[in-house]
Amino acid sequence: MSIYGNYINGEWVTKSHQSTFASVSPSDTGDQVGEFSIADEQQVKEAIAAARAAQPSWASTPIQARSEILLKIGLELGERKAEIGKLVSREGGKTLADGVAEVVRASQVFHFFAGETLRCGGEAIPSTRPGIGVLTSREPVGVVGLITPWNFPIAIASWKIAPALAFGNSVVLKPSEETPAIAAELFRVMARAGVPAGVANLVNGPGHITGSALAQGIDALSFTGSVPTGRKLALAASEQMIRIQLELGGKNPLVILDDADLPAAVECALNGAFFSAGQRCTASSRLIVTERVHDQFVDALRTRMRSLNIGHALDKDTHIGPIINQRQLDMIQRYIGVGKSEGAELVEGGQLLERRNPGFYMQPALFISTRNDMRINQEEVFGPFASVIRVKDYDEALSTANDTEFGLSAGICTTSLKYANHFRMHIQSGLAMVNLPTAGLDYHVPLGGVKSSGYGPSEQGKYAADFYTHLKTAYIAN
Ligand code: ADP
C-alpha cells in the first residue's frame, strides 16, 4: 500500500525517515484505508512557512477568482458525493446515508462561502467629529491553524477551511489521525479547483506531536475536539496572544414534558442520543422526563431501540455503525460500569456485539433511575449511551438541564408555547431545539457553545467572519 504524504506548498511530501500510521475502518479492522506519514515539528514548521509565504498574494487575489475556486470545490464535492461519502463511511464508521449527507453538507458550505467571499465588506459610519468619515473593513487574520476531530471529518474541515480561504487567509489543517484519508481527498479536490500552492496545507499525525506543533507560529487557531485538548490549546494561544476558537464537548439535555407529542419525542430522543452511534458533540445524553410520562416514554424508547440494526457502516440496512476505535469503545464500556456502580439501572443494551467483520460494535445503552449529579450525567461519554432523569415538572427540568459544566445544545419536547419560549430564553446553551433532536444543524447559521462547550467566536454562517477577519477602523479627514 502506498504511503500518503503531507500536502505542503502544493506538493505531496513524504520523507524517507518519516514514521507512519495506518487508518483502519472501524467497521472492519482488516480493512486498512491507508498509511500516512507523520509530520514532525520540522515539517509542520515548513507547512506554516509555506502558508505564510502564500497568504499575501491569496489575500490580494480578486474576490471573483477566490469565490470561483470555492464554488468549484463545492461543485466537485456535490458531483462526487456518492464516492466520497462512501470513503467517509468506510473510514469514519457512520452509515452510508450519513456519509453522503456529510459530503453534501461540505459542498453546501463551500457554496455558501463562495457567496460570502463577495459579501465580505465593511461599513461607512459618520464620525462624531465634523469633516471626518469612518470606514470599517474586514482584513484576513493571516495563517490559520485548523485542528479537527474524526466525527464529521469532511464537514468540520470544510466549515473551517471555506471561511478561512474566503476571507483571504491561508491554512494548515491537522485532521484527526482516525480520518486522514478523507482529509487527503478534500485536499485533492481543492488543488484541482485551483487553490494555489501554499494556501492550504495538510499535516497528519498524532495530536501531541503534529497538533501541538501546529499551535506555534500561526496567527489564529480553530479547534474542534475534547475539553482537555481545547484547554491546552487555549493556553498555548494566550501565551502567543493569538486568537482562538474552540468547539468542544457537550452533555446535552433533551427535556420531555407531560404535554409532549410522545411518539415525536421518542423519535427525537432516539435520533439525538443514538444515531451516528452518539458520536456527535450535539448528541442528547441526558433525557430529562417529567414523571407523568416517564414510564410510557421509557417503554416506547426501549421498543424503538430494539428495532435498530447495528452493523457495518456500508451495509444498507445499518442504522448505527461502529464506535470509532478500541480506546473509545473501552471508555464507553467503562462508563457502563460507572453507571451501574452509581446505582443507575441499565435497562437496554450496553453489550459488545460481534458482526461478520471484526469491528468496534456495541448495542446502544439506556440507563434509568439516574440522578443528574452522577458521573454518567456530568461527564461526556461520546457514544450510544443515554440516561433518563425523572423530574417533577418543567421548573425542575430546566434547572436540571442547566446543572452541567457544558452548554452546547439543548432540546425540549412540548406542545406548550409558554414552556417552549421560556426554555429557549433560559436554557444555558449555544443551541436550543424545540420539538427537534439536539443534533442536526443547518450550515448557514451560527454554531457555538457556552460554558465549557465553546470559547471564542461562533463558527458557520456570516458570523464566521468574526473569527477569520480583523476589523480595521479607518478615520479619513476631508
Ligand atoms: P477526540 O479524539 O475525542 O475527538 P481530541 O481533543 O483528543 O478529541 O482530538 C481532536 C483533535 O485534536 C485531533 O485532531 C487530535 O489529534 C488533536 N489533538 C489531540 N491532542 C492534541 C494536542 N495536545 N495538541 C494539539 N492537538 C491535539
Side-chain angles (χ1 to χ4, degrees):
M1 181 171 293
S2 60
I3 295 176
Y4 290 72
N6 294 292
Y7 189 69
I8 297 174
N9 208 17
E11 310 270 345
W12 291 97
V13 187
T14 312
K15 294 185 179 168
S16 54
H17 66 276
Q18 267 174 320
S19 337
T20 61
F21 67 101
S23 156
V24 168
S25 170
S27 297
D28 177 0
T29 53
D31 176 18
Q32 183 168 319
V33 183
E35 198 174 338
F36 297 81
S37 40
I38 295 178
D40 58 10
E41 194 183 338
Q42 179 52 35
Q43 204 169 27
V44 174
K45 280 190 176 149
E46 286 164 21
I48 295 171
R52 195 159 292 294
Q55 192 267 330
S57 84
W58 176 245
S60 58
T61 299
I63 54 174
Q64 182 66 33
R66 294 212 306 259
S67 173
E68 281 171 13
I69 289 173
L70 295 189
L71 202 59
K72 265 195 198 164
I73 300 170
L75 283 172
E76 182 173 339
L77 291 174
E79 278 159 14
R80 295 178 52 218
K81 64 181 185 212
E83 175 200 346
I84 303 176
K86 191 170 173 189
L87 179 63
V88 171
S89 172
R90 177 179 169 214
E91 190 176 50
K94 61 180 61 180
T95 62
L96 191 52
D98 283 352
V100 173
E102 196 188 323
V103 178
V104 170
R105 170 58 50 100
S107 158
Q108 290 164 331
V109 165
F110 276 100
H111 284 142
F112 179 84
F113 284 105
E116 288 301 282
T117 311
L118 309 179
R119 280 188 287 270
C120 182
E123 281 181 303
I125 305 170
S127 168
T128 52
R129 288 171 281 164
I132 294 179
V134 177
L135 288 179
T136 65
S137 54
R138 287 194 176 271
E139 304 200 341
V141 177
V143 176
V144 189
L146 309 173
I147 300 179
T148 52
W150 46 264
N151 62 335
F152 288 93
I154 194 162
I156 296 179
S158 297
W159 77 53
K160 294 184 193 296
I161 292 171
L165 299 192
F167 305 135
N169 303 283
S170 58
V171 300
V172 180
L173 172 73
K174 206 249 14 120
S176 167
E177 48 277 47
E178 299 295 341
T179 48
I182 296 162
E185 191 57 44
L186 177 60
F187 271 68
R188 281 193 286 267
V189 172
M190 293 199 297
R192 266 197 294 278
V195 174
V199 170
N201 305 275
L202 172 67
V203 289
N204 279 304
H208 66 283
I209 298 173
T210 316
S212 58
L214 181 54
Q216 304 295 326
I218 50 178
D219 302 310
L221 178 62
S222 179
F223 168 79
T224 302
S226 66
V227 176
T229 307
R231 198 167 275 135
K232 275 187 214 154
L233 292 171
L235 287 172
S238 67
E239 253 169 24
Q240 302 166 81
M241 300 230 287
I242 61 166
R243 60 173 64 189
I244 186 161
Q245 174 181 60
L246 303 176
E247 195 61 61
L248 306 172
K251 196 70 199 172
N252 308 297
L254 176 69
V255 169
I256 291 129
L257 296 186
D258 288 351
D259 67 7
D261 171 339
L262 209 61
V266 168
E267 292 310 306
C268 283
L270 189 82
N271 175 328
F274 305 121
F275 284 14
S276 300
Q279 299 177 117
R280 298 185 282 190
C281 43
T282 49
S284 325
S285 45
R286 294 183 298 143
L287 308 173
I288 301 172
V289 188
T290 48
E291 50 195 18
R292 203 160 62 85
V293 287
H294 175 277
D295 293 355
Q296 217 183 328
F297 170 81
V298 169
D299 287 348
L301 182 58
R302 290 180 63 184
T303 304
R304 284 292 281 122
M305 286 175 74
R306 285 185 214 131
S307 71
L308 296 173
N309 295 326
I310 322 301
H312 196 297
L314 291 169
D315 288 353
K316 69 176 186 325
D317 57 353
T318 291
H319 299 119
I320 294 182
I323 307 303
I324 188 70
N325 57 30
Q326 187 68 51
R327 187 171 54 88
Q328 198 67 20
L329 182 64
D330 292 345
M331 213 254 300
I332 301 166
Q333 290 293 315
R334 274 200 300 280
Y335 272 106
I336 302 246
V338 169
K340 288 179 180 164
S341 70
E342 288 181 307
E345 190 186 340
L346 179 66
V347 286
E348 204 60 51
Q351 69 276 26
L352 298 176
L353 298 173
E354 298 230 329
R355 291 293 178 260
R356 67 170 191 280
N357 305 106
F360 309 115
Y361 299 104
M362 71 167 272
Q363 191 74 29
L366 183 70
F367 278 96
I368 63 166
S369 306
T370 78
R371 288 188 327 272
N372 195 53
D373 62 0
M374 290 176 169
R375 280 182 60 200
I376 55 166
N377 284 327
Q378 291 294 328
E379 298 171 16
E380 188 177 40
V381 177
F382 219 71
F385 182 113
S387 323
V388 178
I389 305 170
R390 182 199 289 256
V391 292
K392 199 164 74 267
D393 54 16
Y394 170 74
D395 290 340
E396 190 185 347
L398 178 65
S399 64
T400 304
N402 280 333
D403 184 10
T404 169
E405 72 161 292
F406 295 105
L408 185 55
S409 185
I412 188 166
C413 294
T414 177
T415 48
S416 153
L417 184 59
K418 179 179 129 192
Y419 290 134
N421 212 28
H422 189 274
F423 185 83
R424 177 183 69 77
M425 290 193 293
H426 296 280
I427 188 70
Q428 296 160 2
S429 64
L431 300 161
M433 306 292 191
V434 176
N435 295 320
L436 285 168
T438 54
L441 308 177
D442 285 0
Y443 62 89
H444 67 305
V445 290
L447 160 64
V450 299
K451 295 157 85 178
S452 292
S453 291
Y455 188 80
S458 294
E459 299 200 78
Q460 304 214 55
K462 67 179 180 185
Y463 301 92
D466 294 339
F467 178 73
Y468 290 100
T469 63
H470 280 299
L471 266 181
K472 179 181 278 177
T473 310
Y475 292 79
I476 302 160
N478 293 333

